[in-house]
Amino acid sequence: MKRLHQTLLSCALAGGIAALFAGPALAADAAPPVDTIQAVLTAPPLVPPPITRKTPAKVIVNLEVVEKDMPISDGVTYNFWTFGGSVPGSFIRVRQGDTVEFHLKNHHSSHMPHNIDLHAVTGTGGGAEATFTLPGHETQFTFKAMNPGLYVYHCAMPPVGMHIANGMYGLILVEPPEGLPKVDKEFYVMQGDFYTEGKYGEPGLQPFSLEKAIDEHPTYVVFNGAEGSMTGDKALQAKAGETIRMFVGNGGPNLVSSFHVIGEIFDKVYTEGGSKYQENVQTTLVPAGGSAIVEFKADVPGNFVLVDHSIFRTFHKGSLGILKVGGEENHAIYTSQQSSKEYPEDAPDGK
Amino acid sequence: MKRMLPLLLTCALVPANAGTAGYVDLPGGEFRSAVRYEEEGDRLRVVPFALMERPVSNAEFAAFLRQHPQWRRDRLPAVFSSPGYLGHWESAEAPGPGVDADAPVVRVNWYAADAYCRAQEARLPSFLEWEYAAAADARRTDARDDARWRTRQLDDGTPRAMDAAPDAPANAYGVRGLHGAVWEWSDDAASLPGAGDRRGADDGDRLKYCGATALAFNDREHYGVQKRFALLTALQPGDTLGNLGFRCARSSP
Amino acid sequence: MNKLWTLLLAAALPAIAVAAPARAQDLPGDSVYHVQAATTDMDGRPVPWSSLRGQPRVVSMFYTNCHLMCPLIIENAKAVQKRLTPRERARLQVTMVSLDPARDTPEAMRETAHLHRVPDGWRFLTPVADDVRAIASVLDVRYRMREDGSINHTSVLVLLDAEGRVRARSEVEGAAPDASFLTQVKALLAEP
């Protein structure tokens, strides 16, 4: 009996001691202090580095609107209205649960007020109401990134269509808490349709054509704000064997994109930039004002062409980009041409 | 008393600033605004009025400051001022050689524009009056059905605007520069009911704005007017912009 | 003696001439009384806008032909006053400014004051036509005249300190006073 008592006593003591420790441990689980971080923004086709932290943070984003003339095609310039000086605008990368303190500046040289609607924001106008910004001014608002996903942002100042048509759009990625699986290369690609008074290829500064925009007859359909933005020495680069992820957006204003990479199959497509993926996809739809995340492995070297598979706009309006993959050939997967010869004439097959 | 008399006489002799800008008479009448104001029908009545032929220039504004020095940038009380006010002038009293004296004065706020016009026994035009006068091109008093002409208004407020050059022709009413490189204040800029983000706004905020409902546009294709409207509704009376000036109007007797 | 008076007067004149601008310069930069505006009270007497300086004041803008919000503005202001102690009430002025000079004659203003049984001491002022917009701008009251004679306007009570600086604003949403506005009024009146 004594032994039992002793055992019981030690158990009770142990229990008591454990309880003592349990108290402070619980307190330690209470909300830790939140870091304040300056968001790293990038111009296309670059993407900010993946987020490694495992806790929410306060993220400060500083974005400036600049109106500027830039080339849209060979010999053709256009007066773009940009977020951060590029079309599409700077890529923003945050984590689900982050509190984002957003500062929007509108450069002194702008001729109009601008604002921003981020599709990642839950709140009136996606921020548009809070960021009505005159030239030479700065506005600020704060939002919580509650949903993961790849979201479009754009200007929503009346007349909205014109602001979007002039290039005022970009992407904001809200990573899920566990982050995205690691890949070797990430790229930022965003399609847009442009409407100019002059015909395709007409040189000089081309004004915006409202009539064509309303009729949805674009003059240029391009990736990353210009024809040739990803060709020649600006082609995207990768090595055979690397895994690649493309954050694909479509600013519109009007057209839907049938996004395809010639010679590649998408291993995974997070359709519409959401949380679930489809596998083994050749061509995926990217809605106007929407996005998609595509992932694939560059198995063999070569030039792989990014296109909108509504094919006439690719060859006549500019929606073409190149992914140059270097490295060792793999003839088990692809040989390129093995032979070419004549064959004797006869009645054609099928006659 | 003797010493007072000359003082009194001098005060009497200083004229109300007559200004050198001429005014043009506009007949007014029925007018279909591109802006849809609350419950009113399409057609609004514009009462006959007179409008300055050109926007107020740097030289004219400098003359106003000589008569009314309390509006100089170094003397303006905080309640009327903003950091950029007349910032482009060389000195507080004159634009200096680096600024075109005949160009429209910019970086002026609503208070200063209002004071200038009142000193002329005039006022700022309403947005409707501006729109009515600006509907005219060189030949027609209402050219707004001409899509090509409407398109050119997309450049209003930029150096590429169709009336940007000082010798751009007057419109059919005889008014110049309404579609110029410089936006213009209206009397009711602060009161044009416009929220920044109009896409979802079809409920009026009834209590906030007595009797008002959300504004929309009659003419969705009139982007030039929409841009101008969006700009004016964004402005507070104390704001200044590098491409914002003004001209005055007078009600006809 | 005459010579002495002349000398004194001559000495005083410049002082008087300078005194007025010197007072204006004393007015804080952010005072609404910098607006040069002329108004008439409901007894027909001229009241320069800047002469309102000197006492804490609750100001609002309305017009007599307004039957929606304006009665509420008046009731709201009355309710604010009721919640003050007699000492506080004695220190605070209430002033209603017209948005509609064309129709808000002194008589119309008197009628409205009577109709709404406003307490003694309230001032009803009608600005000169061209001065309405400037007063409305510094008070941040937005308004638009409509074709049928009605006026769309924002409804606010603005609390001004004795020097004319805006201390608090209350958007009028009903007859009951806004609690935080009332707190600000009391705090201002407690200041020396």
Side-chain angles (χ1 to χ4, degrees):
Chain A
M1 264 317 252
K2 242 191 190 172
R3 218 178 284 154
L4 188 58
H5 275 293
Q6 273 181 336
T7 320
L8 282 169
L9 200 57
S10 358
C11 284
L13 270 173
I17 292 166
L20 270 174
F21 281 111
L26 277 170
D29 283 345
V34 163
D35 285 332
T36 299
I37 299 173
Q38 291 287 338
V40 173
L41 305 181
T42 57
L46 300 176
V47 180
I51 292 176
T52 48
R53 61 188 151 88
K54 295 282 169 247
T55 51
K58 179 168 171 200
V59 182
I60 302 191
V61 175
N62 280 292
L63 196 53
E64 184 182 45
V65 172
V66 181
E67 299 173 9
K68 58 201 272 206
D69 292 346
M70 294 194 287
I72 190 172
S73 181
D74 244 340
V76 188
T77 38
Y78 188 83
N79 181 240
F80 291 96
W81 301 349
T82 75
F83 281 109
S86 60
V87 175
S90 308
F91 194 102
I92 306 171
R93 190 165 194 160
V94 298
R95 181 178 179 272
Q96 184 181 11
D98 281 348
T99 297
V100 181
E101 183 184 286
F102 201 99
H103 297 250
L104 185 69
K105 285 202 185 99
N106 188 359
H107 193 263
H108 291 81
S109 61
S110 296
H111 81 296
M112 280 272 320
H114 295 286
N115 63 11
I116 190 168
D117 167 5
L118 300 115
H119 289 182
V121 171
T122 301
T124 310
E129 189 203 42
T131 53
F132 209 83
T133 313
L134 285 169
H137 286 63
E138 175 180 337
T139 55
Q140 176 191 318
F141 82 108
T142 300
F143 69 92
K144 189 156 180 196
M146 300 202 301
N147 298 56
L150 180 62
Y151 297 98
V152 168
Y153 67 76
H154 62 85
C155 180
M157 180 67 52
V160 182
M162 185 174 180
H163 286 253
I164 296 178
N166 283 344
M168 297 198 77
Y169 43 78
L171 290 179
I172 172 169
L173 173 68
V174 182
E175 287 194 14
E178 69 277 10
L180 296 173
K182 189 183 172 314
V183 294
D184 297 308
K185 286 259 161 47
E186 287 181 323
F187 295 110
Y188 175 21
V189 176
M190 195 158 188
Q191 186 173 322
D193 23 296
F194 290 89
Y195 302 82
T196 62
E197 299 248 314
K199 293 207 315 255
Y200 173 86
E202 201 171 299
L205 178 68
Q206 289 296 325
F208 166 71
S209 166
L210 176 58
E211 200 180 327
K212 291 186 188 174
I214 292 175
D215 288 343
E216 303 191 25
H217 290 155
T219 329
Y220 296 91
V221 182
V222 295
F223 294 120
N224 293 357
E227 190 166 1
S229 64
M230 293 186 293
T231 62
D233 53 8
K234 290 192 269 195
L236 305 180
Q237 308 272 0
K239 287 205 281 290
E242 286 187 322
T243 49
I244 293 171
R245 174 181 293 133
M246 290 189 177
F247 297 106
V248 183
N250 183 2
N254 289 325
L255 268 46
V256 170
S257 176
S258 304
F259 187 71
H260 173 80
V261 177
I262 301 179
E264 276 293 351
I265 299 161
F266 303 135
D267 297 319
K268 286 201 180 120
V269 173
Y270 291 81
T271 44
E272 298 167 1
S275 304
K276 301 253 185 288
Y277 57 83
Q278 175 61 286
E279 297 178 277
N280 304 316
V281 176
Q282 66 199 283
T283 301
T284 190
L285 285 173
V286 189
S291 72
I293 305 177
V294 305
E295 293 177 6
F296 57 95
K297 186 158 169 227
D299 293 298
V300 293
N303 282 351
F304 298 90
V305 187
L306 282 64
V307 300
D308 180 338
H309 218 292
S310 291
I311 212 70
F312 268 81
R313 65 180 71 148
T314 292
F315 295 118
H316 293 270
K317 295 187 175 151
S319 52
L320 188 151
I322 308 255
L323 168 67
K324 251 202 190 94
V325 178
E328 290 286 309
E329 291 191 354
N330 185 346
H331 289 182
I333 295 178
Y334 180 77
T335 63
S336 40
Q337 191 173 85
Q338 289 173 304
S339 70
S340 172
K341 62 190 184 199
E342 271 195 51
Y343 67 97
E345 190 170 343
D346 205 348
D349 290 340
K351 187 100 187 263
Chain B
M1 257 328 259
K2 268 201 180 150
R3 211 174 287 170
M4 280 281 282
L5 208 52
L7 186 64
L8 283 168
L9 270 174
T10 332
C11 289
L13 281 172
V14 166
N17 189 351
T20 50
Y23 282 77
V24 172
D25 287 314
L26 288 103
E30 247 194 14
F31 181 73
R32 188 181 174 279
S33 171
V35 174
R36 195 192 325 150
Y37 294 97
E38 292 93 33
E39 295 83 25
E40 282 151 23
D42 267 13
R43 308 235 145 228
L44 300 173
R45 205 169 50 88
V46 178
V47 174
F49 68 108
L51 191 63
M52 268 185 181
E53 188 193 339
R54 292 177 187 278
V56 173
S57 69
N58 284 295
E60 288 162 345
F61 202 77
F64 163 73
L65 292 183
R66 284 194 285 279
Q67 310 280 10
H68 305 267
Q70 67 271 31
W71 290 99
R72 289 164 48 129
R73 71 182 184 209
D74 56 351
R75 301 208 191 154
L76 202 55
V79 70
F80 297 144
S81 73
S82 58
Y85 180 73
L86 291 177
H88 60 309
W89 279 20
E90 188 185 55
S91 73
E93 59 214 352
V99 174
D100 181 357
D102 294 325
V105 67
V106 292
R107 293 194 218 275
V108 284
N109 58 38
W110 184 89
Y111 296 113
D114 176 62
Y116 179 100
C117 293
R118 292 204 279 153
Q120 291 229 337
E121 283 162 18
R123 55 174 175 78
L124 286 168
S126 66
F127 186 82
L128 183 65
E129 286 173 333
W130 177 87
E131 200 196 341
Y132 166 84
D137 72 357
R139 293 177 296 111
R140 305 161 281 187
T141 54
D142 192 344
R144 295 177 299 165
D145 282 336
D146 183 343
R148 194 160 278 283
W149 180 75
R150 275 207 318 261
T151 303
R152 296 182 64 201
Q153 289 179 41
L154 294 176
D155 286 330
D156 282 4
T158 74
R160 287 187 283 267
M162 55 185 175
D163 290 342
D167 57 354
N171 71 12
Y173 291 119
V175 184
R176 292 175 186 273
L178 288 168
H179 295 287
V182 167
W183 305 110
E184 294 178 18
W185 278 108
S186 72
D187 181 54
D188 51 357
S191 296
L192 291 170
D197 186 9
R198 306 211 57 77
R199 292 166 300 160
D202 235 320
D203 57 335
D205 198 348
R206 298 205 115 248
L207 285 174
K208 184 180 179 191
Y209 209 104
C210 177
T213 51
L215 261 194
F217 292 99
N218 282 327
D219 200 340
R220 269 174 292 216
E221 296 192 5
H222 217 137
Y223 273 28
V225 174
Q226 283 191 40
K227 284 177 69 187
R228 187 174 289 264
F229 193 87
L231 176 95
L232 287 178
T233 54
L235 293 167
Q236 302 293 329
D239 285 331
T240 67
L241 290 178
N243 62 349
L244 175 64
F246 71 103
R247 74 179 75 206
C248 304
R250 281 191 180 127
S251 302
S252 292
Chain C
M1 244 338 238
N2 264 348
K3 232 189 224 170
L4 186 61
W5 271 116
T6 323
L7 271 171
L8 277 170
L9 206 60
L13 267 175
I16 291 166
V18 168
R23 262 195 66 95
Q25 274 160 35
D26 284 341
L27 194 61
D30 49 351
S31 165
V32 303
Y33 296 133
H34 279 292
V35 170
Q36 298 298 312
T39 77
T40 309
D41 70 12
M42 60 182 170
D43 297 317
R45 283 190 299 251
V47 178
W49 173 250
S50 51
S51 72
L52 296 178
R53 178 190 188 188
Q55 260 197 296
R57 194 172 294 276
V58 165
V59 189
S60 187
M61 297 191 82
F62 83 123
Y63 65 110
T64 61
N65 284 287
C66 160
H67 305 295
L68 262 177
M69 284 305 295
C70 304
L72 276 181
I73 296 175
I74 292 178
E75 290 309 307
N76 196 305
K78 272 177 160 178
V80 168
Q81 250 194 335
K82 278 209 193 86
R83 280 167 177 67
L84 301 177
T85 67
R87 261 192 72 232
E88 287 171 336
R89 212 172 298 152
R91 286 201 66 202
L92 183 73
Q93 283 266 307
V94 181
T95 305
M96 295 283 149
V97 181
S98 167
L99 291 164
D100 187 9
R103 289 182 297 173
D104 287 347
T105 59
E107 200 186 308
M109 296 290 245
R110 276 200 305 276
E111 259 188 59
T112 297
H114 179 77
L115 183 66
H116 290 281
R117 288 191 262 270
V118 298
D120 284 338
W122 280 35
R123 305 194 74 174
F124 279 67
L125 301 178
T126 304
V128 160
D130 282 342
D131 290 346
V132 181
R133 190 66 76 175
I135 296 175
S137 292
V138 284
L139 294 177
D140 195 16
V141 170
R142 287 139 195 266
Y143 71 96
R144 205 177 72 78
M145 314 289 286
R146 293 181 52 190
E147 285 226 330
D148 64 357
S150 65
I151 306 181
N152 282 345
H153 62 97
T154 53
S155 303
V156 280
L157 294 182
V158 183
L159 175 66
L160 300 173
D161 67 13
E163 292 292 275
R165 286 175 290 219
V166 175
R167 292 297 202 95
R169 302 173 58 85
S170 167
E171 305 249 328
V172 173
E173 280 166 16
D178 168 13
S180 64
F181 183 72
L182 191 55
T183 309
Q184 301 265 49
V185 171
K186 284 178 169 283
L188 175 63
L189 295 174
E191 286 174 20

